[in-house]
Amino acid sequence: MSTRKERLTVTVDPAFIAAGNDAVAEGRAESLSAWVKAALAERVARERRLVALADAVSAYDERFGVLSAQELADQARADRESAIVVRG
């Protein structure tokens, strides 16, 4: 990211401001600005991953064809049958 910062004015719910201020008070963030910056960075990274995943699915579909509902159901059944269930 750029080292040059820009000021931004936004309107957010008070609960988000409180959560950010709590993170600062608990030492989990340097400042409210740093907390917001981290949240924005996480959102950018998530959206990039989603685009990459959509691109991968599209490439698969182009190469092998779209999976049918029956193929998805068959795989879900096979996954359930081969799963090892672990409960508390």
Side-chain angles (χ1 to χ4, degrees):
M1 287 283 142
S2 166
T3 57
R4 182 177 165 271
K5 307 281 190 253
E6 292 187 34
R7 181 172 290 275
L8 171 68
T9 301
V10 297
T11 302
V12 297
D13 292 337
F16 294 141
I17 296 169
N21 286 329
D22 289 347
V24 173
E26 295 167 7
R28 293 181 286 117
E30 266 181 47
S31 64
L32 184 57
S33 290
W35 187 80
V36 169
K37 180 182 171 185
L40 290 171
E42 289 173 14
R43 177 66 184 253
V44 168
R46 179 179 179 265
E47 289 186 4
R48 286 181 179 158
R49 287 190 306 271
L50 289 172
V51 167
L53 180 59
D55 290 346
V57 169
S58 292
Y60 179 93
D61 289 348
E62 284 179 26
R63 183 168 181 190
F64 301 105
V66 177
L67 292 172
S68 70
Q70 185 60 52
E71 289 172 310
L72 292 172
D74 291 346
Q75 186 61 55
R77 184 175 47 258
D79 291 344
R80 279 192 307 276
E81 290 171 357
S82 66
I84 299 172
V85 178
V86 178
R87 303 204 181 192

